[in-house]
């Protein structure tokens, strides 16, 4: 019995899916998209009562500090901006659409708050990328978009290279006042969990505050959310490439008084030291803003 070849096992029939269940979820999604935007307009503020303000929640994640231009006082950073709000016209019963609880659609399909960076220093004034939004069945919309921002930052270089900077990122609506959009911060601080460490700057924190300001042009209040980026410069590079050479050259200056008066190298040493210190002064001046606050190393 055991000497003959083994009998072939019968093949199992393949698993068959009924045609009615194969594309049911996709058909429900197409039907839902058609029903939601049949009579929808993305130009109007999505509230049932126009006298009530629409709550918009903002959360900013700092991903990377690209550049800190001290001379022009411009901070270039890579941010992830999350905005959430409630659209009263985009709700559905998920049981009537195959249990679909959320869909992802292009952000241009829905109304979006015009939240911009107030202290923007970019000549092109670029905004967030056109990413998708997550629309839930209860009408809540979450919009996550990355953005590379250039913001103006007042730089104080009095204690360069042992200085610290406080750069503010102020976000707010450009056309809607506080009676139409109530902008609030989701957390009391910016999210730094995904921050990529910078070789020159150390981030100490990013607290967030909500401000309500009445500008001179209008009588209505305008709320904004301000993130204060606390930075401290890593001074190791400047210590070994600027401070130590400058100190060593400065110690050569008193040696000119110990050389005899009839030595021809006395004047040459003094001129060489003066030129070396002038070169270091030019290196410091090239990276510093042309302001009245002179850094201590320059003095």
């Amino acid at each position: 019995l055991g000497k003959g070849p083994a009998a072939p096992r019968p093949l199992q029939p393949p698993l068959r899916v009924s045609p009615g269940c194969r594309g049911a979820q996709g058909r429900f999604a197409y039907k839902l998209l058609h029903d939601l935007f049949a009579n929808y307009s993305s130009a109007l503020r999505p509230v049932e009562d126009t006298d009530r303000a629409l709550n918009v929640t903002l959360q900013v994640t700092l991903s990377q500090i690209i550049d800190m231009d001290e001379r022009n006082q411009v901070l270039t950073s890579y941010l992830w901006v999350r905005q959430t709000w409630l659209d009263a016209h985009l709700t559905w019963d998920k049981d009537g659409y195959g249990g679909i609880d959320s869909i992802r659609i292009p952000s241009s399909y829905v109304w979006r708050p015009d939240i911009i960076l107030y202290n923007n220093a970019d000549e092109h004034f670029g905004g967030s990328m056109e990413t998708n939004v997550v629309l839930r069945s209860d009408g809540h919309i979450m919009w996550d978009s990355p953005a590379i921002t250039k913001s103006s930052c007042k730089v104080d270089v009095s204690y360069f290279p042992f200085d610290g900077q406080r750069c503010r990122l102020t976000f707010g609506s450009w056309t809607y006042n506080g009676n139409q959009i109530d902008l609030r911060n989701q957390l009391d601080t910016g999210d730094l969990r995904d921050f990529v460490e910078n070789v020159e700057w150390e981030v100490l924190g990013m607290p967030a505050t909500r401000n309500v300001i009445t500008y001179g042009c209008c009588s209505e209040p305008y709320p904004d959310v301000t993130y204060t980026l606390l930075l401290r410069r890593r001074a190791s590079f400047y210590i070994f490439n600027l401070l130590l050479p400058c100190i060593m050259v400065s110690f050569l200056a008193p040696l000119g008084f110990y050389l005899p008066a009839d030595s021809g190298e006395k004047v040459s040493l003094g001129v060489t030291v003066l030129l070396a210190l002038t070169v270091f002064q030019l290196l410091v001046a090239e990276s510093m803003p042309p302001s009245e606050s002179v850094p201590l190393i320059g003095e």
Side-chain angles (χ1 to χ4, degrees):
L1 294 176
K3 295 181 181 180
R9 296 182 179 179
L11 297 177
Q12 296 180 357
L15 182 62
R16 296 183 180 274
V17 180
S18 60
C21 299
R22 188 178 303 172
Q25 198 74 8
R27 290 200 304 271
F28 281 126
Y30 276 104
K31 184 177 183 302
L32 174 61
L33 186 64
H34 179 269
D35 294 345
L36 285 177
F37 296 96
N39 297 315
Y40 181 82
S41 175
S42 60
L44 300 177
R45 193 167 53 98
V47 291
E48 295 180 351
D49 187 0
T50 56
D51 295 332
R52 298 185 60 180
L54 178 65
N55 295 326
V56 177
T57 304
L58 178 68
Q59 179 60 30
V60 171
T61 299
L62 178 63
S63 177
Q64 184 181 0
I65 296 177
I66 300 177
D67 182 40
M68 179 65 174
D69 189 356
E70 294 93 343
R71 187 169 185 82
N72 297 318
Q73 303 190 64
V74 173
L75 172 67
T76 305
S77 55
Y78 179 40
L79 306 176
W80 299 344
V81 182
R82 169 174 291 185
Q83 304 176 42
T84 57
W85 66 93
L86 177 64
D87 195 318
H89 304 312
L90 296 179
T91 61
W92 71 89
D93 184 11
K94 58 183 179 180
D95 295 332
Y97 293 92
I100 298 178
D101 184 54
S102 63
I103 57 174
R104 286 160 175 80
I105 56 177
S107 58
S108 59
Y109 284 19
V110 301
W111 176 89
R112 295 173 296 180
D114 56 343
I115 305 299
I116 65 171
L117 181 64
Y118 279 175
N119 56 333
N120 197 340
D122 192 359
E123 57 182 0
H124 301 291
F125 213 87
S128 303
M129 292 182 59
E130 294 292 334
T131 56
N132 291 342
V133 298
V134 180
L135 174 60
R136 302 188 64 87
S137 59
D138 55 358
H140 281 88
I141 297 179
M142 182 176 62
W143 183 25
D144 288 337
S145 60
I148 297 179
T149 61
K150 290 184 178 181
S151 58
S152 58
C153 177
K154 184 179 180 180
V155 179
D156 185 10
V157 292
S158 300
Y159 299 98
F160 174 85
F162 305 101
D163 57 330
Q165 307 299 333
R166 299 171 61 92
C167 296
R168 292 178 173 83
L169 302 171
T170 303
F171 294 90
S173 175
W174 189 252
T175 58
Y176 294 102
N177 54 53
N179 299 326
Q180 297 170 330
I181 287 184
D182 187 10
L183 182 63
R184 296 185 178 273
N185 49 308
Q186 184 176 357
L187 301 175
D188 294 333
T189 179
D191 192 358
L192 301 175
R193 290 175 296 179
D194 298 318
F195 176 70
V196 179
E197 292 293 335
N198 189 268
V199 295
E200 184 178 2
W201 295 96
E202 179 184 0
V203 178
L204 303 181
M206 194 177 178
T209 56
R210 180 180 181 270
N211 308 304
V212 179
I213 302 177
T214 302
Y215 296 95
C217 65
C218 316
S219 59
E220 297 86 1
Y222 282 84
D224 64 67
V225 175
T226 301
Y227 291 89
T228 304
L229 189 59
L230 307 178
L231 301 175
R232 183 172 61 188
R233 192 190 303 271
R234 302 181 190 269
S236 301
F237 174 82
Y238 298 97
I239 289 177
F240 290 102
N241 294 277
L242 186 63
L243 284 180
L244 289 182
C246 185
I247 293 174
M248 295 174 64
V249 172
S250 300
F251 278 126
L252 294 177
L255 295 180
F257 296 97
Y258 290 95
L259 294 177
D262 55 352
S263 175
E265 300 297 331
K266 186 172 185 177
V267 177
S268 300
L269 178 62
V271 173
T272 303
V273 171
L274 179 62
L275 292 177
L277 292 177
T278 305
V279 170
F280 285 113
Q281 176 66 23
L282 291 176
L283 292 177
V284 174
E286 284 181 357
S287 59
M288 295 296 103
S291 60
E292 295 182 356
S293 59
V294 180
L296 296 180
I297 186 176
E299 296 179 1

